Amino acid sequence: MHFQQLHLIQFRNYTEQQLTFSPDINVLTGPNGAGKTNILDALHYLAFTKGFRNSQDQQAVQRGAQFFFDGGVLIRENKTRQVHCNYQKGKGKKLLINQEPLKKMSEHIGYIPMVSILPHDTDLINGPSAGRRQFMDMLISQYDPMYLQHLIQYNRILGQRNALLRQFGEQRYFDPEQLELWDMQLIPRGLAIHSGREAFIERFLPIFERYFHHIVSDMEMPHIRYKPSVAQATAVGWETALREKLERDRVNQYSGAGVHRDDMGFEIDERSVRNFGSQGQQKTFIIALKLAQYKLLQEQRGLAPILLLDDIFDKLDEKRLARIAQMLDDEVQGQIFITDTSQRRMQEVFAQSQRQVKFFQVKSGEIHSLIEEKES
């Protein structure tokens, strides 16, 4: 599976741009702010119907324009599929497959498995728990459609429960029996999500440990710990947790127990990576985390995902750089997109690659294909 072409109109800093890609490795080099990351963002839109910046769609529209067009030609299992994600101010967003609009965009999630490694991914370690939950949810949803449906339903019910709590606060009364009606709907979805996350950690951890040791060494021992908000994963356990939080929920006007409060703990040698990990350890932890995400997706889907690497090679020592480059060559079978500020560094990194490498130069919203290093 790979993107053969990309066509952008009024998308971020591109007035119009058409690109033809290598099915193997594509490297975009140029100065910061030139628009390299915007190409990866456009590809992310085609896989997930949103950019990886979590910004509003209207912010992806070029300044002064009213719409953007983001179209790709995808080759999957020797079949060509046109994927278009379009947005118009005031009318919203549409996803079209072979010119036919999808009624539910969620149906598309997982069709183009994709993993991205970005500079701000260290927020997974240092940021709030919401980012770590999103990491789990996006990964599991790409190989388990039922998990995604449970998640959508859970968030809808949770929204209704929170709205009722706010209504109680505004009208200055409280009726726990009304909340129980939402609780009975919330609990089975929450249990399904809890179960999905536990199974994910069990499958994911050994893969992650292998990649971490490959990049670093066997001297350091990494670990990922699932930290559920409701420890007892039974209907009775959930009922108890919700009941214990009831008074606090009334005061805060927000639901304080449930999978929307879950977290993950990241550790090296039984010490928090967030509190004790160096910058190098944190960056290595994230790269291993994302490569494990790639491998798990490939195993679950039987299809090599597309890998996006945005400016990850900067400030890595030569030893780790060489190991990561070797892993990309040996372990990543799918299409790869890489951005970097240094063309020379990327040519050195992939000088020994056995795969086809295509280089692009990016300057102020314009992209030119430079050379193809190898033909496979």
Side-chain angles (χ1 to χ4, degrees):
M1 179 189 68
H2 66 275
F3 279 108
Q4 185 181 67
Q5 295 178 339
L6 181 68
H7 184 193
L8 302 178
I9 299 175
Q10 297 177 162
F11 184 87
R12 297 200 182 275
N13 68 327
Y14 293 101
T15 302
E16 183 166 12
Q17 183 72 57
Q18 296 190 61
L19 299 170
T20 300
F21 299 123
S22 162
D24 282 338
I25 300 175
N26 299 273
V27 180
L28 298 99
T29 62
N32 291 326
K36 305 184 300 295
T37 302
N38 292 341
I39 298 300
L40 305 192
D41 202 45
L43 295 169
H44 197 276
Y45 255 102
L46 296 179
F48 298 107
T49 73
K50 62 180 181 180
F52 47 57
R53 305 166 196 252
N54 290 325
S55 57
Q56 296 181 349
D57 296 317
Q58 63 187 20
Q59 294 178 356
V61 179
Q62 190 176 45
R63 184 175 298 177
Q66 296 300 310
F67 73 94
F68 73 67
F69 171 84
D70 177 7
V73 176
L74 183 77
I75 307 298
R76 174 173 160 159
E77 297 170 339
N78 297 318
K79 294 182 180 180
T80 301
R81 186 177 176 112
Q82 294 182 358
V83 184
H84 295 166
C85 189
N86 308 328
Y87 172 79
Q88 185 172 356
K89 291 182 178 179
K91 294 187 177 180
K93 180 170 56 182
K94 289 184 179 180
L95 184 76
L96 296 90
I97 307 298
N98 293 332
Q99 307 298 329
E100 293 293 328
L102 285 185
K103 294 182 179 179
K104 292 184 178 180
M105 292 190 187
S106 62
E107 295 174 356
H108 179 67
I109 304 302
Y111 184 82
I112 307 176
M114 179 178 287
V115 174
S116 58
I117 306 180
L118 312 171
H120 66 254
D121 280 340
T122 51
D123 289 348
L124 280 173
I125 295 172
N126 299 312
S129 60
R132 292 181 285 278
R133 287 193 299 274
Q134 185 182 51
F135 171 79
M136 283 193 290
D137 291 340
M138 286 191 67
L139 176 49
I140 301 169
S141 295
Q142 287 189 74
Y143 64 78
D144 187 348
M146 282 305 300
Y147 181 90
L148 177 60
Q149 291 306 311
H150 286 307
L151 193 65
I152 291 171
Q153 293 168 8
Y154 180 91
N155 288 330
R156 177 184 59 80
I157 296 164
L158 180 67
Q160 294 291 339
R161 189 181 194 273
N162 288 339
L164 185 58
L165 286 167
R166 290 192 297 271
Q167 179 182 319
F168 288 156
E170 291 168 0
Q171 299 182 5
R172 298 191 177 186
Y173 80 99
F174 189 68
D175 184 355
E177 292 185 0
Q178 289 190 49
L179 281 179
E180 287 180 10
L181 297 175
W182 293 113
D183 291 350
M184 293 304 102
Q185 298 180 59
L186 197 70
I187 289 172
R189 277 82 177 184
L191 287 171
I193 294 167
H194 182 119
S195 176
R197 289 175 177 175
E198 280 193 328
F200 157 71
I201 293 293
E202 185 177 349
R203 287 193 294 262
F204 185 78
L205 184 57
I207 303 172
F208 162 75
E209 289 175 342
R210 180 170 69 86
Y211 280 118
F212 184 90
H213 289 146
H214 190 99
I215 298 172
V216 187
S217 70
D218 292 333
M219 299 298 293
E220 297 179 351
M221 295 302 298
H223 190 64
I224 299 172
R225 194 181 309 278
Y226 178 41
K227 302 165 68 176
S229 167
V230 181
Q232 188 179 351
T234 64
V236 173
W238 270 69
E239 290 171 8
T240 301
L242 290 168
R243 186 166 56 250
E244 289 175 348
K245 293 283 187 179
L246 195 59
E247 180 59 25
R248 184 172 294 181
D249 288 354
R250 184 186 67 80
V251 174
N252 294 336
Q253 300 177 26
Y254 180 81
S255 303
V259 293
H260 60 288
R261 306 287 289 179
D262 288 357
D263 200 353
M264 286 194 295
F266 298 147
E267 301 172 359
I268 296 178
D269 295 334
E270 299 183 351
R271 290 161 62 92
S272 165
V273 179
R274 176 175 186 167
N275 297 329
F276 300 102
S278 67
Q279 287 187 350
Q281 284 178 315
Q282 290 191 5
K283 193 164 190 177
T284 300
F285 198 98
I286 289 298
I287 292 173
L289 198 72
K290 291 305 191 81
L291 290 175
Q293 176 185 3
Y294 183 97
K295 190 66 174 179
L296 180 61
L297 261 182
Q298 184 176 0
E299 291 177 354
Q300 294 293 322
R301 298 299 308 273
L303 187 68
I306 292 170
L307 181 62
L308 311 180
L309 306 174
D310 187 27
D311 195 26
I312 71 160
F313 293 104
D314 187 35
K315 298 179 181 178
L316 283 175
D317 60 62
E318 291 184 5
K319 189 174 182 180
R320 295 191 184 194
L321 190 61
R323 286 182 173 179
I324 292 170
Q326 189 64 50
M327 288 176 65
L328 293 178
D329 227 29
D330 296 343
E331 301 273 353
V332 178
Q333 298 175 4
Q335 190 178 33
I336 303 174
F337 292 87
I338 300 170
T339 71
D340 198 272
T341 54
S342 173
Q343 180 184 335
R344 177 181 297 180
R345 175 166 55 208
M346 290 298 94
Q347 288 174 326
E348 291 175 353
V349 164
F350 293 106
Q352 304 302 318
S353 176
Q354 299 304 305
R355 302 181 66 182
Q356 182 191 85
V357 185
K358 187 169 185 177
F359 286 86
F360 299 86
Q361 188 176 60
V362 185
K363 290 184 178 179
S364 301
E366 293 186 0
I367 304 179
H368 303 282
S369 174
L370 292 179
I371 54 176
E372 294 188 14
E373 287 291 298
K374 292 183 173 63
E375 297 292 338
S376 58

